[in-house]
Every structure is written in structure tokens, then in C-alpha cells.
Amino acid sequence: MELQRPYQLFLGDVKDRLAAKTAQGIAQWRPELCIGQTRMAGCEADLGLPDLSLKEAYEKDARTLIIGIANRGGTLSEKWVPLLIEALTIGFDLASGLHMRLGDHPDIWEAATNTGRRLIDIRHCGKQFEVANGIKRSGRRLLTVGTDCSVGKMYTTLALEREMQERGLKVTFRATGQTGIFIAGSGVPVDAIVSDFVAGAVEHLTPAGEADHWDLIEGQGSLYHASYAGVSLGLLHGAQPDALVLCHEPGRPHMRGLQQFPLPSLEACIATNLAMARLTNPAVKCVGISFNTQNLPEVEAKRLIAETEERLGLPVVDPLATGVGAIVDKLMVTA
Amino acid sequence: MELQRPYQLFLGDVKDRLAAKTAQGIAQWRPELCIGQTRMAGCEADLGLPDLSLKEAYEKDARTLIIGIANRGGTLSEKWVPLLIEALTIGFDLASGLHMRLGDHPDIWEAATNTGRRLIDIRHCGKQFEVANGIKRSGRRLLTVGTDCSVGKMYTTLALEREMQERGLKVTFRATGQTGIFIAGSGVPVDAIVSDFVAGAVEHLTPAGEADHWDLIEGQGSLYHASYAGVSLGLLHGAQPDALVLCHEPGRPHMRGLQQFPLPSLEACIATNLAMARLTNPAVKCVGISFNTQNLPEVEAKRLIAETEERLGLPVVDPLATGVGAIVDKLMVTA
């Protein structure tokens, strides 16, 4: 799926910043693609972008209105519908990461049909993929993996993209989740693909490339997450990574959503990911660890990073606090 | 999905036995559920069941007409359509394991709507499942796993069911593929489930049970298959098996459909399955090996079984040649 750029971000009437998490990720990582934000009365999120009416945004060349909302249940509010229909009439495509399909709303469906505009449901991938063939592709690939869900895999991958671009390296960010797809403008929502085709969809997402080009692939879930490990394994096999970066949030009390499951050790998690990844790329290496230390005191974070580097003999970073330069240094030497 | 029983098996005009593989599996493992077969002119498959017209079969109480055909591409032949519509008119539900949906054919859809009969597409599971919660369920579970696809996991599971039933043990066969679902009359086609929900669908398939009851769960794919390992891992985690049986076809030259991938050793395959399974059931054990030796000379098969038993210290069987009694013996002692 490919989105027309640039974007106008629709925040509706959401009551807090977290509900606009998807829009916030886009604004943070692709400010150059965001013309402005459209907020309704009562909206309490603010991305710091210009507040524009739909007409104004369209006149400034915005072409896709993104419903950048991640509310509980993923539902579409009736209150938003008049504005969404207005957007179609003005000439916008609509793109949504909600569970509910845009086209399942009869008035939106009718407006899209009448105007010839596209309704793009990022979570519902209509595309048919081939089953993976496992054949090694040219070009280099890095995949972020995690001890758990929501530990910073997308942020780490995007930080690596920025750092490697600044060094003049050839890189492409490959998105596998809804926010990542909005940021990249294309991608494959792997957790929404029929299980038989996950590895094949990832082979399609990251095709053969030039020998010195790096695909930087956003990871999903964790091999240690009892709900989603199958998704992570299909992604790992399809990605055929040359390099893994392990992402982790120190101090997390248990696996996300699974109170009785402790987090794996970094050592076990690296060993298992390498062992499973070798099936489709025997040369795979782990090139670093990425911590999300936002909830730790700075002194504690620094101590933990130094201690982990010492223990594992790998660069350990926090993308926001230290940058990811140390991992790129290692990548250039070893992978 | 639940099917009305008993069944009439529709073989269409297929040109060979292999194309009727699904019907053959049903007739072999559930002859008591099969009233007869309906064959069109030119059909060259024969299950050895009575040849009955649809009317005759319905009068003998058959209630679901199963399209027991596994042709290349999974397409529905226009030649079958008049008979399928006749079946709906007589009062049959239609059930199919084809890729193409029955309801996508406008005439079949119309006939089903007019008669109020059900169209059941085994490969297209409309049901929404919860994400897996990983919480340990009561009752015992055995899962067949494989070195590869199509090595006899369903046959082994059904042979274990028969043997354990004969010993008066409480067992239920849990189907995860299309032929298995027709045989069981219900099940979950795991390879057709959206990846995020595979482990959750398996938790749903094999719910909490009595302490001395065994769910015998049909495995899919292999952790060593580069196309499908993610499906196998989701199934493994959702199943929470107490016992694994490893299925293997000796002499296979490479992984099915993947010429450059050799088969794993039995030792590696057991170790990897146990290591990954421990996430949701730390007490998991491997209780035996099941060979498919149909393509080996009998002497060679016997030698290989004896040698493998010696090497691994586990019972090794061929469900058709030796029966699976030795694995059930082991299961009763160790799991």
C-alpha cells in the first residue's frame, strides 16, 4: 500500500496525547511530510503543527488525510464523519489505522465512491502475497528485535535510518506496523497478514537490493511473547537479516499484557533470535542493544548502559539519550 | 466451525486419486461418517464407498456435501456447479476446502440464500479470535510437530487417538488443517488465521479440560520450514503441549518446496521444539518419533526404526506399519 504525500493529520476530538500516538510518531519522524493538523472542538492533543482547515491544507498540497488516532477498540466516532466526508469531497484520500474499516461506514463509502477518492485501511491489507521461498536476496538487511512488545523497535530503526543517512550510507526504512507505514508511506502490516504468508510478505517488503544498500526493517513483538512469537518468527525468517539489534526497556515488570510471564535475559533473547534467524541467513550477527531508558533516572541509565556493554561486549545505546552512532560503528566493522 | 453430520463426499470429475486426497482422508479415518460418494462422468477416483445420487444420500440422512477435492489452484469447476446447486435445493449444506469461496460464485450464493442452507469454506475462517493470554489450562495436551510439512502429522495424531480410545483413555482429536477439520467435524485452519491471532485461536481450539483428558492436536508445518515456521510457533505456544511427537519422512531430499534447504536432524528438531515450547509449558517432553516409511523397503524401515530408537532413547513408530502403541506406553509413563 502506497500513500499520496504530503499528509494532513486529523486528531478528531481526542482527549489526550496518547490517543494521538500514531499522529505523533508521524509528526516526530516525518515533519517534512506533515502540512498541518486538523482538530475538532474539545481536542486536547497538540502536535505543534499549524492548525489548518481541510481546505487550507489541501491548498498547501496535502493529499492524504490521516486519522492519526489510536483509541481503545479502534472505533470510528460518528462525530468525525462529517469532516471525513468533507475531506473526500475536497479531494483527499483518507487513511486510517483503526480496526474498523473506513468503507464499512456507509456514508464514507458512498462519498468515496462518488468522489473517486481512496479509503486506505492500514490494518486491513487486501494484497495477496506469495508464500516465502527462502532464497537469499542481494543487499544488506538489519532487523530490530525485542525482549517484548512496545520497547522501541520502530524508534530504534528510524534513529538508525537517520544516523546512516547522515553518514551518506544507502538505507531504506521498511515499515511493518501501522505508525511505521504512515511514516514510510508504504509497508506491510505483518500482524494483519494471514499467517501462512507472513514470511512471504516480508520477502516482498524488502526485495533484492544493491550490495551496499541497507534495508532497515522495523521488528514486531518478541520470540518470548506468548501471544505474538509466531509473527516475530515469520518476520525474522522473511527478513533474512545480516544484523540484529535487540531492543529492551529495562525495569519492565513482566511481558506486556501477560502478568505471569517474566522478561527473558538479554543473553537468552540474543541467542534464541540468532539461532532461529540462521535458518534463512547463517551469517546473521547481533550488532548492538537499544534501551528505552525514559523511565529511569539519568545516572541509573548510564550505569546500566556501561554495565551491559561490559557484560555483553556489544554497543548499548538509547536512541533518544545517546544516539545510535555506536551501533552503526559496529555495523560497519562486523556485518 | 461445526459441520452437520453425516457427510456425502463429492468427487466431481477429478482425474486421479491424489486430487481426491481430502475425501480419502475423511473416508479412511471416519468411514462411519461417510454415507457415500457422488462422482460425475469421467471421475477416476474411487474411495470404495457406495455411489449414491444426491437424493439417495439425503434420504440416507447425509446432511453436508463435502467437496473433497484438492486440485491445483484450489479452483471450483463450472462443471460441478449444477450438482452443487441441486444439493442445496435438496437440503444439504455445502462444505469446501478449496481456496475459492463457494459464496463467490453468484449462482451458488443465490441458491444458498434461497434455500437457507450454509456454505462452509474451511479455508476461510470468518471467526474473530482473541489474542493468546498464555495462561496454563487444565487437562493434558499432545502436539505432533514435524521436521517438514506433509510428513504424517495428521495421520500420527489420528492413530494416537484410535490407540488411546481403544485403551479406554479420554481423548479428543483437535484439527488444525482442512482435512483434519472435515474428519473432526470442527477445528481451526491455523494457516488461514491472521497472524496476530494464531496462538489465541489454538487456545480457543483446545480449552481447559479434565485432569486426565488428552487433547491430541494436529501440528502444521515445521520450525525449520522457511515459509511456515511462524505458523508452527504460534501453534506450539497456543497448544501448551505436555508432550510432543516428532514426525518425519526418512529419505526426503530437501524441505518441501525449498530445494536449497536440507532437513534438520531429529536431535536438532526435538531440541528446538522443546526449547520454544517451554515458554508456555516448562514441563513439555518429547515422547516419541513417528516415521512415514511408505517409500522405504520394509527391511530398511525396520533397521532405521531400531537404530533411531537406540540413538535417541525414545520410541520410534510408523503409524501404518508398527502402530503407535509404543508412544502411548511412553506417554502413560512419562508425561
Side-chain angles (χ1 to χ4, degrees):
Chain A
M1 43 181 91
E2 288 271 352
L3 301 175
Q4 283 200 90
R5 298 161 163 197
Y7 307 147
Q8 176 72 2
L9 302 181
F10 178 71
L11 305 186
D13 55 349
V14 301
K15 293 289 170 269
D16 59 45
R17 211 184 159 80
L18 252 181
K21 205 180 105 180
T22 299
Q24 204 188 326
I26 305 168
Q28 172 162 357
W29 289 101
R30 291 294 183 271
E32 70 280 12
L33 293 182
C34 299
I35 299 294
Q37 60 188 8
T38 297
R39 303 189 291 165
M40 295 170 62
C43 178
E44 281 164 34
D46 184 355
L47 307 173
L49 294 170
D51 279 296
L52 300 176
S53 73
L54 295 173
K55 259 216 172 87
E56 290 166 342
Y58 192 83
E59 281 160 11
K60 288 178 188 288
D61 292 330
R63 286 297 173 265
T64 299
L65 183 69
I66 293 183
I67 303 172
I69 297 167
N71 60 0
R72 212 177 152 71
T75 55
L76 182 81
S77 166
E78 274 298 328
K79 290 187 198 159
W80 310 338
V81 173
L83 261 170
L84 299 180
I85 289 174
E86 187 194 335
L88 290 165
T89 310
I90 290 171
F92 284 99
D93 286 346
L94 291 187
S96 154
L98 300 170
H99 270 300
M100 185 180 155
R101 287 172 203 253
L102 290 167
D104 283 347
H105 193 289
D107 298 345
I108 294 176
W109 186 84
E110 194 190 328
T113 308
N114 291 341
T115 58
R117 302 318 316 166
R118 292 191 304 162
L119 303 177
I120 300 159
D121 290 289
I122 291 286
R123 284 242 183 109
H124 300 270
C125 182
K127 188 168 163 50
Q128 292 286 324
F129 295 98
E130 302 283 321
V131 159
N133 61 34
I135 297 170
K136 188 79 176 69
R137 307 185 295 286
S138 57
R140 322 289 327 260
R141 284 168 193 83
L142 177 148
L143 173 71
T144 47
V145 297
T147 52
D148 195 2
C149 302
S150 303
V151 288
K153 290 184 283 283
M154 186 188 81
Y155 267 62
T156 300
T157 315
L158 287 162
L160 286 164
E161 180 198 32
R162 189 171 286 173
E163 174 74 22
M164 291 173 78
Q165 271 173 343
E166 283 170 11
R167 296 194 191 187
L169 298 164
K170 296 184 207 164
V171 292
T172 306
F173 169 67
R174 300 294 187 185
T176 60
Q178 57 165 328
T179 305
I181 292 171
F182 285 133
I183 290 169
S186 66
V188 169
V190 289
D191 62 6
I193 303 281
V194 166
S195 62
D196 240 12
F197 302 101
V198 167
V202 176
E203 289 186 350
H204 173 87
L205 173 69
T206 161
E210 293 173 71
D212 61 346
H213 176 276
W214 281 92
D215 267 352
L216 306 175
I217 306 165
E218 177 193 6
Q220 294 293 335
S222 167
L223 290 182
Y224 285 85
H225 198 293
S227 313
Y228 309 118
V231 183
S232 306
L233 184 59
L235 174 49
L236 185 65
H237 283 163
Q240 304 177 351
D242 302 286
L244 297 177
V245 172
L246 176 63
C247 302
H248 175 64
E249 184 182 343
R252 198 173 272 213
H254 56 74
M255 296 295 284
R256 192 175 167 88
L258 303 177
Q259 294 201 10
Q260 76 279 35
F261 285 85
L263 271 84
S265 70
L266 299 177
E267 287 87 340
C269 201
I270 292 170
T272 300
N273 274 282
L274 288 174
M276 300 308 277
R278 281 188 195 109
L279 183 70
T280 57
N281 190 345
V284 61
K285 289 191 174 66
C286 180
V287 296
I289 316 282
S290 177
F291 281 166
N292 173 350
T293 63
Q294 65 183 350
N295 294 321
L296 293 182
E298 200 186 325
V299 179
E300 167 68 4
K302 282 192 173 158
R303 193 194 54 72
L304 195 64
I305 286 175
E307 180 196 289
T308 310
E309 284 199 327
E310 172 79 21
R311 199 175 85 230
L312 297 180
L314 286 168
V316 180
V317 305
D318 178 317
L320 298 181
T322 70
V324 295
I327 291 181
V328 177
D329 294 344
K330 173 85 174 174
L331 185 67
M332 293 301 102
V333 183
T334 62
Chain B
M1 43 181 93
E2 288 272 353
L3 302 176
Q4 284 200 91
R5 296 162 164 196
Y7 307 147
Q8 176 71 1
L9 302 180
F10 178 71
L11 305 186
D13 55 347
V14 300
K15 292 288 169 269
D16 59 45
R17 212 183 155 80
L18 251 182
K21 205 179 105 179
T22 299
Q24 204 188 324
I26 305 169
Q28 171 162 358
W29 288 101
R30 291 292 184 271
E32 70 280 12
L33 292 182
C34 299
I35 299 295
Q37 60 187 8
T38 296
R39 303 189 293 165
M40 294 171 61
C43 179
E44 282 165 34
D46 184 354
L47 307 174
L49 294 170
D51 279 297
L52 300 177
S53 74
L54 295 173
K55 260 219 171 82
E56 290 167 342
Y58 192 82
E59 280 161 12
K60 287 179 187 288
D61 292 331
R63 286 298 172 266
T64 299
L65 183 70
I66 294 183
I67 304 172
I69 298 167
N71 60 0
R72 215 178 148 70
T75 55
L76 183 80
S77 166
E78 274 299 328
K79 289 187 201 160
W80 311 339
V81 173
L83 261 169
L84 299 180
I85 289 175
E86 188 195 334
L88 291 164
T89 310
I90 290 172
F92 284 98
D93 287 346
L94 292 186
S96 154
L98 299 169
H99 269 302
M100 185 180 155
R101 286 171 204 253
L102 290 168
D104 283 349
H105 192 291
D107 298 345
I108 294 177
W109 186 84
E110 196 189 328
T113 308
N114 291 342
T115 58
R117 303 316 319 164
R118 293 191 304 162
L119 303 177
I120 300 159
D121 290 290
I122 292 287
R123 285 243 183 108
H124 299 271
C125 181
K127 188 168 163 53
Q128 293 286 322
F129 295 99
E130 301 284 322
V131 159
N133 62 34
I135 296 170
K136 188 81 175 65
R137 306 185 295 287
S138 56
R140 325 286 330 257
R141 285 170 191 80
L142 178 148
L143 173 70
T144 47
V145 297
T147 52
D148 195 0
C149 302
S150 303
V151 288
K153 291 184 282 284
M154 188 189 80
Y155 267 61
T156 300
T157 314
L158 287 162
L160 286 164
E161 181 200 31
R162 189 171 285 172
E163 173 75 20
M164 291 173 78
Q165 270 172 345
E166 282 171 12
R167 297 195 190 186
L169 298 163
K170 296 183 207 164
V171 293
T172 307
F173 169 68
R174 299 296 187 184
T176 61
Q178 57 166 328
T179 305
I181 292 171
F182 285 133
I183 289 170
S186 66
V188 169
V190 291
D191 61 5
I193 303 280
V194 166
S195 63
D196 240 11
F197 302 101
V198 168
V202 177
E203 290 187 350
H204 173 86
L205 173 69
T206 161
E210 291 173 72
D212 60 346
H213 176 277
W214 282 92
D215 267 352
L216 306 176
I217 307 164
E218 177 193 6
Q220 294 293 334
S222 167
L223 290 182
Y224 284 85
H225 198 292
S227 312
Y228 309 118
V231 184
S232 306
L233 184 59
L235 174 49
L236 185 65
H237 283 163
Q240 304 178 353
D242 303 287
L244 297 177
V245 171
L246 177 63
C247 302
H248 176 64
E249 184 181 344
R252 198 174 271 212
H254 56 73
M255 296 295 284
R256 191 175 166 87
L258 303 177
Q259 293 200 7
Q260 76 279 37
F261 284 84
L263 269 84
S265 70
L266 300 177
E267 287 87 341
C269 201
I270 292 171
T272 300
N273 274 282
L274 288 174
M276 301 308 276
R278 280 188 196 110
L279 183 70
T280 58
N281 189 348
V284 62
K285 289 189 175 66
C286 180
V287 296
I289 316 282
S290 177
F291 280 166
N292 173 351
T293 63
Q294 65 182 353
N295 295 320
L296 293 182
E298 199 186 326
V299 177
E300 168 68 2
K302 280 192 175 159
R303 194 194 54 72
L304 195 65
I305 286 175
E307 179 196 290
T308 310
E309 283 200 327
E310 172 79 21
R311 198 174 87 229
L312 297 179
L314 285 169
V316 180
V317 304
D318 178 318
L320 297 182
T322 70
V324 295
I327 291 181
V328 177
D329 294 344
K330 173 84 174 173
L331 185 67
M332 292 300 102
V333 183
T334 62

